[in-house]
Amino acid sequence: MSSTKLSGAAGFEDTLRSFWATRPVRPRRGGKLGGVSAAIGTRYGIDPILVRVAFVLATIYGGAGVVLYLLGWLVFPKEGDLLPGSTEPTREPTSTGLAVVLVLLLIPGVFWLTSSPSIIGVALGLGALYLLHRNYGDRGVTPTATAPAAAAPVAGPQPAVPVAENTWVYPGVASTTTNAAQGEQPPQQPPAWDPLGAAPFAWDLPEPSEPEEPQPQRPKRRWITIATLALAAFASVLAAAIGARPESALAIALAVLGLGMIGGAFLRGGRGLIGAAIPVGALAVATAVLPMGDFTGNMGSDEVRPTSIENVLPHYQRSAGSVLFDLRNLQITDGQELRTGANVGLGDVTVQLPPNVDVTARCASQLGDVRCFNDTADGRGADISVTDQGEDGPGGGHIVLDLVVGTGSVEVTRG
């Protein structure tokens, strides 16, 4: 079998089928634990040590290497015995008892993959194996023996062959004998399109073929796409309902879509899942990379303009939007204290304070910029804590602020 580079969904499906048919075989000797690294190295002609190093790095990177190794141990067959007259060992599937143990180990391992590094590690590992088979799938496969080529005709003039008696030969055709017992060829017969032998000069042309009947189209198994999309949506909603973060819920949906594409590659369906997986994957990466804060609040804007501390809530929260504190008209006397704050996933927090009140403020942005009185910071992890006693010094009431955004800006100024 030779590696053929195809493009598009057909190439993806063909590569998966080829990988499954010729997937690595875990050897009896040379493997350290299960023989997964040795199997991959032998199959694709690379040093197994490099494969082991890759698994170790993937394990450090969020634990993805453990899950990938257990999965390979489960699906890669084991080297069997040599059959009589054969030079290739048989491929034995993983035993039932070992398969049960591996599945029981994989279940907590999959639930372990809730962080962004682990999800990215699994995706990179599967993608690397796909590219490895696509480019080096012809390695480690015994080539199929080809039939010997037919002997070439002998060049030069051939001796004349006498014509047997009572043998009628068509006009213009070299005569031959019909004595098959002597290995001689029978007389040349006219083709079906020239039964009278009127055009022997054109007998070497191919027979006119009838138009081929169109092959029946394979039924499009759209149920695979529909069922996988429904299952992916249900899994992500269920994950969000039990408290999973947005990036984890999207990663679960992406995993279901990936399993649907793998199954569709063998069932000849599910191509529409590729178009659905691309935006879901991009959104999962975006939510994992960009800090979005706590998304349990609502979306929108809050404008807080109180005149007394009783009109201010202890905490304001928005998944996306903005929070404005206009405290310039707040009536707060000496000895009173107001504690409030805001948490915005994606957006801004702005605070305007009266000139004389004492303020203790924490201004933080996981990704963005912060301006807390005269102190500024920007970039990732900007966090400033400031104590300012106003123009008149200590006294005149105390305000404690805790302001945090995931992606956006925080600004605290005096009006």
Side-chain angles (χ1 to χ4, degrees):
M1 182 190 67
S2 61
S3 175
T4 304
K5 296 182 179 180
L6 300 175
S7 60
F12 178 77
E13 294 179 4
D14 290 342
T15 302
L16 290 181
R17 292 194 195 97
S18 172
F19 168 77
W20 186 258
T22 63
R23 60 192 184 277
V25 178
R26 294 182 287 111
R28 290 185 173 182
R29 300 177 181 85
K32 301 299 182 182
L33 178 63
V36 176
S37 299
I40 296 175
T42 303
R43 173 64 180 83
Y44 299 108
I46 58 179
D47 193 340
I49 296 179
L50 298 178
V51 183
R52 295 188 181 104
V53 170
F55 274 116
V56 171
L57 292 177
T59 301
I60 298 174
Y61 196 68
V66 176
V67 175
L68 291 174
Y69 199 91
L70 293 175
L71 190 61
W73 199 345
L74 178 65
V75 301
F76 291 170
K78 182 181 178 181
E79 180 182 352
D81 298 325
L82 287 175
L83 295 177
S86 174
T87 59
E88 292 293 329
T90 58
R91 298 157 61 97
E92 298 180 355
T94 305
S95 62
T96 304
L98 179 58
V100 171
V101 173
L102 293 174
V103 170
L104 293 177
L105 292 175
L106 275 170
I107 292 175
V110 170
F111 284 101
W112 184 22
L113 302 177
T114 57
S115 63
S116 302
S118 60
I119 296 171
I120 296 175
V122 171
L124 290 177
L126 295 177
L129 185 60
Y130 171 82
L131 294 176
L132 189 65
H133 184 82
R134 177 170 180 149
N135 292 281
Y136 301 103
D138 54 346
R139 296 182 179 180
V141 179
T142 304
T144 304
T146 57
V154 180
Q158 303 297 320
V161 179
V163 180
E165 295 182 0
N166 300 326
T167 301
W168 180 71
V169 180
Y170 286 90
V173 181
S175 61
T176 56
T177 182
T178 60
N179 192 350
Q182 299 179 1
E184 299 172 354
Q185 298 180 356
Q188 187 175 2
Q189 298 295 326
W193 57 269
D194 188 19
L196 299 179
F201 57 86
W203 287 0
D204 57 341
L205 296 177
E207 291 280 352
S209 58
E210 297 180 358
E212 297 182 357
E213 297 182 0
Q215 296 182 355
Q217 295 183 354
R218 294 180 302 183
K220 296 182 179 180
R221 301 186 178 181
R222 294 175 178 168
W223 64 268
I224 300 176
T225 301
I226 299 174
T228 305
L229 289 175
L231 184 60
F234 174 77
S236 61
V237 171
L238 180 62
I242 62 178
R245 295 182 62 83
E247 59 269 24
S248 300
L250 289 171
I252 292 174
L254 187 61
V256 174
L257 293 176
L259 293 175
M261 285 188 287
I262 294 175
F266 296 100
L267 298 176
R268 300 182 181 275
R271 293 188 179 182
L273 296 175
I274 299 176
I278 293 176
V280 173
L283 187 58
V285 172
T287 54
V289 173
L290 295 177
M292 307 296 284
D294 193 346
F295 269 72
T296 57
N298 298 322
M299 300 178 65
S301 300
D302 274 326
E303 292 188 3
V304 183
R305 304 178 187 273
T307 57
S308 63
I309 60 176
E310 290 80 9
N311 302 130
V312 183
L313 298 177
H315 190 71
Y316 295 84
Q317 185 167 317
R318 286 287 179 264
S319 296
S322 62
V323 177
L324 170 64
F325 292 95
D326 187 355
L327 306 180
R328 291 175 293 181
N329 297 322
L330 179 66
Q331 301 297 323
I332 182 170
T333 60
D334 194 8
Q336 288 184 316
E337 183 179 79
L338 170 64
R339 289 181 174 270
T340 187
N343 190 316
V344 177
L346 176 63
D348 305 314
V349 176
T350 304
V351 180
Q352 297 174 343
L353 296 166
N356 298 324
V357 68
D358 296 344
V359 177
T360 300
R362 182 215 171 191
C363 308
S365 176
Q366 298 181 38
L367 182 63
D369 58 274
V370 169
R371 179 187 175 190
C372 205
F373 295 105
N374 294 325
D375 295 340
T376 60
D378 56 25
R380 180 176 288 274
D383 196 330
I384 298 176
S385 295
V386 175
T387 298
D388 189 283
Q389 297 177 345
E391 298 177 357
D392 61 348
H398 187 207
I399 298 177
V400 179
L401 300 173
D402 186 13
L403 312 172
V404 179
V405 299
T407 303
S409 63
V410 178
E411 181 178 9
V412 177
T413 59
R414 289 190 183 273

